[in-house]
Amino acid sequence: MEIVSPRRAVIDIGSNSVRLVIFEGPARAPIAVFNEKSLCGLGDREPDSGALRETSMADALKILRRFASILADENLASLKVIATAASREAPNGPDFLSEIRRIGFEPTLLTGEEEAKLAAFGILSGAPEVMEEEGGCLAGDMGGGSLELSHLDRGAPDGVADLVSLPIGGLRLASRYEGNLRDAKKAVNAAIADVPWLKGLEPTTFYIVGGAWRALGRLAIMQTGHPISILDHFWLPAERAIELCRLVEQQSVESLASTPGVPSRRAPTLPFAAMVLRKIVSKSGAKRVAISSCGVREGSLYAELSPEERAEDPLVALSQHYAERLSPGGMERRRAIFDFLSPAFANETSRQARLRRAAAKLTNVAGLFHPDSRGNEAAVSVLNMPFISVDHPGRVALAAILFQRHTASEADFPAHLHTQLLDDDTLRWTRQVGLGLRFASDFDPVGRTVLPRARLSADQDTLRLELERGDRDYLGDSPRRRFEKFAGSLGLAPKVSSGADWL
């Protein structure tokens, strides 16, 4: 049976680029299956009049006609077309939007406040854990024409306590000051001085998004030798982020353009984006800077969700999505496995429980591969899935669990799983969870036959498996061996009972 996932699309007519993203997957964790942009430079406007340049508009309309052709045969559940600072501020912006309508699109021209709200929603959608941080977090979306800042806090309506849109986007600064960082700094200082809630906020994390800031993230990954290249939830301590920004500010455009990972057309804006980031980190007192993969586009989808949908865990939702497409067995089986094993992990943290729930859903994600390669295929797949709301150690922990789930004895993890990002206690826990999944999957391959009736319990010395009398035949030699290894990984003695009898 074909599993159909509704497709939604967003066209973002920004100050630097015009982009089409087509999303599939669960509403709470959309997956970008098509993502194309053209750097049209709409924010690089005529210096005297502030009008959009004819060449920039022509480039934008050209790529929009391509997007219209691409979408003509798409059966979309929704299409959003949004225009931001450049179209909003230019005197010929209304004429430009009229040309877009002639192509067949209905663009929504966002106000500065609306753009800031959607940017906040985007970061909140990709990092809902900020609601658990005391005092919330700071979020920023660096566009070509404007910078959207928000204070996210669980006590505020929709999670957004404060927000502001500032006219200090990277392309705007680069165009206006033409490499003169000293004068640009004055403009940036003046802009952020007008944000009273920013000074002394001292959030644990400043989540950032936007092309120029993502480019800084790529530079940081290369500079630090970080083993995972995925930008989402990569973070730096504030002092390291400030150090990187100062370094970039001192580079010439030519030097940056020749740097691996930096698009040449992004190089002129990068020193300005670095300077703005440094100023915001310093003024806010943020303790660390983390990259988010979710911004205005994802925020526009999040805005349409019900409160119940927003409350869903995006990591678990996406794990379920992949399990439905790649794993034998149904949702009841994966839920039964998680519930069955829970008594053995009574002392786990909420973070561990969340990862274990995702791992239970993914337990057979490599079930269609050759048995000899399932461990590696599952681990590498999970390491590189487009998860949101999970940091890099969390990705590695999931990969290690799935590798162990397909390995008979306690695993020696291969180097490409990057388990150096985990401490010894977490590594031990991943082996325990993996061996638990291995036992449960073998004990009840269907997952809804005996698991709902069997019961695990643990005390200081013993892991007990209690079966109903009619279920004792389920415990063959292979499941028994796997149960014994699972108990051993927990440092417990295995015991099995059926009725009043010990087996």
Side-chain angles (χ1 to χ4, degrees):
M1 181 180 66
E2 182 181 6
I3 301 176
V4 178
S5 178
R7 285 191 162 199
R8 294 160 289 164
V10 179
I11 295 177
D12 182 1
I13 304 168
S15 298
N16 198 36
S17 65
V18 177
R19 185 187 297 262
L20 165 64
V21 185
I22 300 175
F23 296 93
E24 282 189 9
R28 186 57 189 87
I31 306 165
V33 296
F34 180 87
N35 189 334
E36 181 178 323
K37 71 177 179 182
S38 177
L39 293 174
C40 300
L42 289 169
D44 183 13
R45 294 182 281 153
E46 296 288 354
D48 295 330
S49 65
L52 301 173
R53 296 181 189 270
E54 292 294 332
T55 53
S56 299
M57 288 191 291
D59 289 345
L61 294 171
K62 179 180 178 181
I63 193 63
L64 287 169
R65 283 190 287 270
R66 167 172 160 74
F67 292 164
S69 298
I70 290 171
L71 295 175
D73 295 327
E74 284 282 354
N75 184 20
L76 295 175
S78 68
L79 169 62
K80 298 180 181 299
V81 182
I82 55 178
T84 56
S87 303
R88 180 170 65 238
E89 298 172 3
N92 57 344
D95 294 335
F96 174 56
L97 296 179
S98 294
E99 291 297 320
I100 295 173
R101 293 186 185 96
R102 289 191 180 94
I103 295 173
F105 294 127
E106 287 297 329
T108 297
L109 183 61
L110 300 177
T111 66
E113 184 173 322
E114 288 169 338
E115 187 176 356
K117 185 68 170 287
L118 292 184
F121 275 175
I123 292 174
L124 184 57
S125 74
E129 65 272 15
V130 304
M131 294 294 99
E132 301 172 10
E133 294 185 13
E134 189 64 33
C137 82
L138 179 63
D141 188 341
M142 182 71 165
S146 60
L147 167 66
E148 279 63 55
L149 288 175
S150 56
H151 173 207
L152 305 181
D153 187 82
R154 63 187 171 212
D158 291 328
V160 184
D162 300 285
L163 53 82
V164 67
S165 180
L166 302 174
I168 50 174
L171 183 59
R172 184 196 296 262
L173 293 174
S175 300
R176 179 172 296 178
Y177 296 101
E178 297 181 342
N180 188 337
L181 276 174
R182 178 174 297 180
D183 287 347
K185 287 176 186 177
K186 296 177 183 177
V188 171
N189 286 336
I192 63 177
D194 290 333
V195 185
W197 51 266
L198 183 61
K199 185 176 181 180
L201 186 63
E202 297 186 353
T204 299
T205 310
F206 178 21
Y207 284 92
I208 64 173
V209 69
W213 280 353
R214 279 194 292 265
L216 291 175
R218 291 188 188 94
L219 285 175
I221 285 175
M222 290 188 292
Q223 187 185 65
T224 60
H226 187 72
I228 295 177
S229 61
I230 294 169
L231 283 172
D232 189 65
H233 277 71
F234 169 74
W235 65 271
L236 286 173
E239 58 272 18
R240 290 283 293 112
I242 289 173
E243 180 182 316
L244 173 67
C245 289
R246 291 190 184 278
L247 177 64
V248 171
E249 289 175 60
Q250 296 167 4
Q251 304 304 305
S252 67
V253 172
E254 293 75 20
S255 173
L256 289 170
S258 64
T259 301
V262 177
S264 59
R265 294 187 65 179
R266 185 74 71 183
T269 67
L270 216 53
F272 296 93
M275 181 264 291
V276 172
L277 178 59
R278 177 173 60 83
K279 293 285 187 181
I280 299 295
V281 171
S282 298
K283 182 162 185 176
S284 68
K287 298 175 181 62
R288 66 177 190 172
V289 177
I291 307 289
S292 172
S293 63
C294 300
V296 169
R297 294 177 291 276
E298 290 77 12
S300 70
L301 300 180
Y302 182 83
E304 300 299 320
L305 299 182
S306 67
E308 293 75 20
E309 288 173 315
R310 291 183 186 182
E312 291 179 14
D313 186 330
L315 172 62
V316 175
L318 197 54
S319 297
Q320 177 65 33
H321 175 82
Y322 278 111
E324 289 172 350
R325 283 150 180 80
L326 301 175
S327 305
M331 184 169 62
E332 296 85 358
R333 178 179 194 269
R334 293 181 281 273
R335 184 182 297 120
I337 288 175
F338 175 82
D339 293 340
F340 171 70
L341 292 174
S342 290
F345 298 99
N347 296 322
E348 67 188 352
T349 65
S350 59
R351 171 183 169 86
Q352 288 175 331
R354 178 177 184 248
L355 291 173
R356 185 169 64 83
R357 185 179 296 277
K361 292 186 178 298
L362 295 165
T363 186
N364 282 334
V365 75
L368 302 179
F369 286 94
H370 191 282
D372 293 346
S373 64
R374 283 176 184 163
N376 189 65
E377 294 292 347
V380 171
S381 296
V382 166
L383 192 63
N384 292 286
M385 284 178 178
F387 291 126
I388 54 177
S389 186
V390 62
D391 59 16
H392 289 187
R395 282 181 177 274
V396 172
L398 277 175
I401 289 170
L402 271 294
F403 187 87
Q404 179 67 80
R405 179 259 180 270
H406 293 284
T407 306
S409 300
E410 292 195 8
D412 291 324
F413 298 113
H416 62 261
L417 296 192
H418 312 304
T419 52
Q420 70 269 25
L421 296 183
L422 306 181
D423 59 37
D424 290 343
D425 287 343
T426 303
L427 268 179
R428 185 180 308 109
W429 174 79
T430 64
R431 291 188 174 99
Q432 292 167 348
V433 176
L435 288 170
L437 292 176
R438 184 173 176 82
F439 158 60
S441 298
D442 188 35
F443 175 47
D444 187 354
V446 177
R448 54 180 180 269
T449 304
V450 66
L451 284 186
R453 299 191 299 272
R455 189 167 76 89
L456 276 181
S457 61
D459 58 26
Q460 188 173 355
D461 303 308
T462 306
L463 181 67
R464 291 183 173 83
L465 172 62
E466 300 175 44
L467 304 176
E468 292 186 1
R469 189 175 298 275
D471 291 336
R472 62 174 63 190
D473 290 340
Y474 275 95
L475 197 68
D477 290 340
S478 175
R480 182 183 285 275
R481 286 195 301 270
R482 293 185 179 189
F483 175 62
E484 291 169 353
K485 288 182 178 179
F486 174 42
S489 73
L490 297 168
L492 302 175
K495 288 192 175 182
V496 182
S497 66
S498 176
D501 302 325
W502 291 101
L503 303 181

